[in-house]
Amino acid sequence: MSTLDLTPRLTDPDTLFEALVEAHRGLAPDASRRLDAKLVLLLANHIGDGDVVQQAIAAAIGNPAATPAAPSDTA
Amino acid sequence: MQSTYVHPHYAHVPPTDDGARHKVVVVGGGLVGLTTALDLAHRGQQVVLLDDDETVSVGSRAISFAKRTLEIYARLGLGARLLGKGVTWNVGQVFFGDRSIFAFDLLAEPGHQYPAFVNLQQYYLEQWLVEACQATGLVDLRWRNRVVAVENRPDAVDLTIEVPGGSYRLTAEWVLACDGAHSFVRETLGLPFVGKVFRDRFLIADVLMKAGFPAERWFWFDPPFHRGGSVLLHRQADDVWRIEFQLGWDSDPEAERAPDRVCARVRAMLGPDVPFELEWLSIYTFRCRRLEKFRHGRILFLGDAAHQVSPFGARGGNSGVQDADNLAWKLLAVLRGDAPQTLLDTYDEERAAAADENILASTRSTDFITPKNEAARAYRDAVLELSEQHAFARPLVNSGRLSEPAVLRASRLNTPDAGSWTGGLPPGAPAADAPVVCDGREDWLLRHLTADGFTLLLFGTPDEAPAAALTAPAGRTRQGAWPVRSVFVSPVEGDGVLWDREGLAAARYDAQSGTAVLLRPDQHVAARWRSFDAVAVAAARRRALGITGDERQRIPA
């Protein structure tokens, strides 16, 4: 089973954050919600691993028990 | 309202056997009760069937009969009739708003005798089942017989039955409760029937029209003619079309039932120029629930009496027919002393697992069709919008996961796989059909399976066949009752073999030369091997009959 990678991986985090927020500009709440749902579905399919998505759901909910422990060899 | 079908009237005959004892009494003469009775009669068993009505079902009810169900009815002699009268379909289309977003083919591969689905009004099938039961001479069909009391004793069941002008009593060694979602037998035993109620309401309008729609399942999410709801359009026999409108929980069922209102909804959908007549209408809510156990001593529950699902996916009628298919041979083996009574517990185990699968699938469909909150709606609509452009999203669209037969994976009747398999049919799976050539004629594999015993499919050319299998009729694989009959499936033509000319049988069973597959009397895989071993076949057969080490002393096998 693959493990959700929770280490920083983005080379340009500010651009990504801006792009996410920008995508919602001018959208009504329901359209905004639908946009986020589409993003999740697109990315989940790209990941293609239900276990990883389940771990991401648990991490998003903030359930520490369901979030996999970091590999022990990282400091 | 109904103009295309005249209900038969079955005359009540006053009972003359008050206090009699019968081996098998089926309670309920609907689709499942009649199928169970016919299956038992086909296997030579006398059955008494009690029904509180005097005709077949009113309204179209179950309409979509799945491939596996058709194969079961083929075994019972009704396959050709279903194909002849019913509407064959394999394709579904999904619409969102005013656009068609994609189509799917449920039977994408060729080489099956039966299609993915045939649509037919339930009353036709019930009528044919009655006729087929009568033709066996073994089914005592008793109309206007209402069970009003049940006493479930350890060795038999006492029934009190109300008939016009009085009541009488029967004792049954086994009672098969097929008396539907409101099962009296279940209720009088006080058995909890637990599950989930869905807060939604649907209108079924069966309309008679000469319409140019293809024989496909069309499903709309949020169409312009019914904003905010879903609509299903499905063709049945006699130019009758099933239309289902999702009405929502806040709708007023009494007001929605008014024919004017129903006609207005239908006209909005079809356009002003399509003439139609209302054939039948019904408003329903639904639940997903099941009995904890399908066997209670000498009473066994089948169909809606045992489990109820939402209608999305055609899993009600189809699963009830599979219940009958699963139980009939087991009950017979027990009645004849060929198997221990514990074999009947495997009916509960196998079909309860199937019911759970059906409940899960139909619950998920319902949750997709009726989003429970704003987030669920956002995801649902996101899936629908994405699926128009992107193939990846289409498998997420859930307008009903259409009935597929259960694979009885966890059954204790299965002999676990040894050897290496890269697919094919694992133990517990229903047999797959394939085109074959037999004695120079085009034929189908399933037609060569034996119903009163086990079938051993032996793959390979006849000159490679093991000698022990070739001498099977007198040899070690042939037991007394429920014998094993060998069927040779060969890549080359030859006498006494099924020629797998297209190689589809071998492909579907992941077979190589030498592969042996043992099928139960209900056509489910009991065991499979890479090479034939008479001792292993005999052991797998005993296991599939529920005969464990201890019982070998008592049960003649």
Side-chain angles (χ1 to χ4, degrees):
Chain A
M1 184 174 96
S2 297
T3 303
L4 179 69
D5 193 337
L6 294 166
T7 60
R9 285 163 52 83
L10 299 169
T11 49
D12 189 353
D14 292 348
T15 301
L16 181 89
F17 188 86
E18 185 189 13
L20 287 171
V21 173
E22 193 58 30
H24 289 268
R25 183 197 290 271
L27 293 184
D30 63 331
S32 194
R33 197 161 204 166
R34 197 158 63 242
L35 175 71
D36 275 339
K38 283 186 186 176
L39 272 173
V40 167
L41 293 164
L42 284 157
L43 295 172
N45 184 67
H46 181 81
I47 292 163
D49 181 336
D51 287 334
V52 171
V53 177
Q54 295 279 8
Q55 293 168 47
I57 292 170
I61 291 169
N63 178 358
T67 306
S72 57
D73 58 346
T74 57
Chain B
M1 205 154 45
Q2 195 154 12
S3 64
T4 57
Y5 181 76
V6 178
H7 278 72
H9 174 258
Y10 302 124
H12 167 69
V13 178
T16 55
D17 61 346
D18 186 17
R21 188 181 175 97
H22 294 278
K23 294 268 188 202
V24 184
V25 173
V26 174
V27 181
L31 181 68
V32 177
L34 289 166
T35 303
T36 307
L38 181 61
D39 202 339
L40 286 164
H42 246 253
R43 297 174 184 280
Q45 178 59 47
Q46 282 197 322
V47 182
V48 173
L49 185 146
L50 308 173
D51 188 71
D52 60 4
D53 202 357
E54 52 193 348
T55 187
V56 293
S57 76
V58 175
S60 62
R61 302 183 63 176
I63 61 164
S64 292
F65 297 96
K67 181 169 176 295
R68 178 66 197 148
T69 301
L70 299 171
E71 289 165 354
I72 292 168
Y73 283 123
R75 179 170 63 73
L76 298 175
L78 292 172
R81 230 171 155 180
L82 269 154
L83 278 185
K85 177 76 184 173
V87 174
T88 291
W89 66 278
N90 294 308
V91 172
Q93 286 215 47
V94 178
F95 299 80
F96 182 41
D98 55 2
R99 304 182 306 281
S100 163
I101 52 175
F102 70 96
F104 56 90
D105 189 341
L106 292 163
L107 194 65
E109 59 172 26
H112 292 272
Q113 186 182 8
Y114 287 92
F117 281 93
V118 161
N119 281 4
L120 183 70
Q121 294 90 317
Q122 184 172 324
Y123 39 75
Y124 279 112
L125 185 50
E126 288 188 12
Q127 186 187 331
W128 302 342
L129 285 163
V130 169
E131 291 163 9
C133 282
Q134 288 167 335
T136 64
L138 291 172
V139 184
D140 181 352
L141 293 149
R142 302 187 182 189
W143 308 101
R144 298 189 70 186
N145 274 240
R146 181 190 297 272
V147 175
V148 293
V150 178
E151 194 188 338
N152 193 8
R153 295 190 282 112
D155 60 338
V157 182
D158 295 324
L159 299 170
T160 306
I161 301 149
E162 212 171 73
V163 290
S167 69
Y168 71 110
R169 291 169 65 90
L170 290 181
T171 296
E173 285 185 24
W174 298 95
V175 165
L176 309 182
C178 306
D179 50 346
H182 304 290
S183 168
F184 171 79
V185 178
R186 186 189 67 224
E187 284 171 8
T188 195
L189 294 182
L191 302 174
F193 198 41
V194 288
K196 202 168 152 185
V197 183
F198 292 90
R199 291 167 60 84
D200 204 343
R201 201 167 268 128
F202 289 80
L203 164 70
I204 291 182
D206 279 343
V207 306
L208 180 61
M209 62 176 175
K210 307 271 185 202
F213 302 110
E216 298 176 350
R217 178 186 194 263
W218 285 14
F219 196 98
W220 284 265
F221 292 97
D222 196 23
F225 54 84
H226 189 63
R227 276 292 172 207
S230 65
V231 178
L232 174 74
L233 174 70
H234 223 174
R235 186 175 182 175
Q236 308 174 57
D238 303 332
D239 292 314
V240 173
W241 296 73
R242 160 77 59 92
I243 307 176
E244 281 186 45
F245 295 93
Q246 181 189 23
L247 297 177
W249 186 243
D250 298 329
S251 57
D252 175 354
E254 281 315 306
E256 294 293 348
R257 216 183 295 273
D260 286 355
R261 186 145 173 169
V262 175
C263 287
R265 287 197 186 282
V266 174
R267 205 169 294 113
M269 172 180 179
L270 301 173
D273 305 325
V274 179
F276 67 89
E277 283 170 47
L278 265 187
E279 178 87 351
W280 185 62
L281 67 89
S282 161
I283 289 185
Y284 66 90
T285 57
F286 54 81
R287 298 154 190 265
C288 288
R289 53 184 178 172
R290 75 164 170 92
L291 276 174
E292 192 194 345
K293 290 275 174 201
F294 295 176
R295 179 184 175 201
H296 289 264
R298 288 183 165 259
I299 302 179
L300 295 121
F301 291 86
L302 295 86
D304 283 357
H307 46 76
Q308 239 187 311
V309 295
S310 86
F312 299 105
R315 288 168 181 268
N318 286 301
S319 66
V321 172
Q322 289 172 59
D323 289 348
D325 180 54
N326 188 287
L327 180 59
W329 71 274
K330 292 177 180 174
L331 182 60
L332 209 62
V334 170
L335 274 168
R336 295 187 178 164
D338 302 325
Q341 275 194 23
T342 50
L343 180 62
L344 297 174
D345 293 329
T346 71
Y347 162 74
D348 166 69
E349 292 158 12
E350 293 183 343
R351 294 309 300 166
D356 284 343
E357 212 174 282
N358 287 320
I359 288 171
L360 179 65
S362 81
T363 299
R364 287 172 165 177
S365 300
T366 306
D367 288 344
F368 191 90
I369 292 163
T370 309
K372 284 209 226 43
N373 54 43
E374 286 309 309
R377 179 170 296 275
Y379 271 102
R380 206 254 338 237
D381 290 351
V383 164
L384 291 169
E385 285 183 10
L386 287 168
S387 66
E388 189 175 1
Q389 278 181 32
H390 304 295
F392 92 83
R394 289 170 198 162
L396 290 160
V397 174
N398 192 343
S399 69
R401 296 286 179 226
L402 288 146
S403 173
E404 289 189 25
V407 176
L408 312 168
R409 278 176 216 285
S411 175
R412 62 169 128 149
L413 304 183
N414 297 342
T415 297
D417 273 343
S420 92
W421 301 87
T422 54
L425 301 175
D433 205 1
V436 291
V437 178
C438 178
D439 299 331
R441 281 196 307 272
E442 309 275 329
D443 208 338
W444 297 95
L445 177 63
L446 291 188
R447 290 161 47 87
H448 293 269
L449 306 187
T450 180
D452 59 358
F454 290 77
T455 305
L456 186 69
L457 298 177
L458 284 158
F459 290 85
T461 55
D463 61 337
E464 293 168 325
L470 285 171
T471 57
R476 296 182 63 182
T477 58
R478 177 117 191 160
Q479 285 79 12
W482 309 93
V484 178
R485 202 177 134 254
S486 298
V487 169
F488 296 93
V489 184
S490 165
V492 296
E493 201 165 12
D495 280 348
V497 304
L498 300 182
W499 176 24
D500 183 17
R501 189 173 54 192
E502 295 160 57
L504 287 171
R508 286 173 188 164
Y509 287 83
D510 183 26
Q512 302 160 359
S513 182
T515 294
V517 179
L518 183 67
L519 299 169
R520 310 187 329 192
D522 61 5
Q523 305 184 346
H524 280 258
V525 176
R528 57 179 179 170
W529 302 272
R530 280 297 178 204
S531 63
F532 172 81
D533 172 347
V535 174
V537 171
R541 171 191 165 277
R542 280 197 305 277
R543 184 175 182 142
L545 282 167
I547 302 169
T548 58
D550 302 342
E551 273 124 6
R552 281 176 67 183
Q553 313 306 318
R554 295 191 289 109
I555 307 286

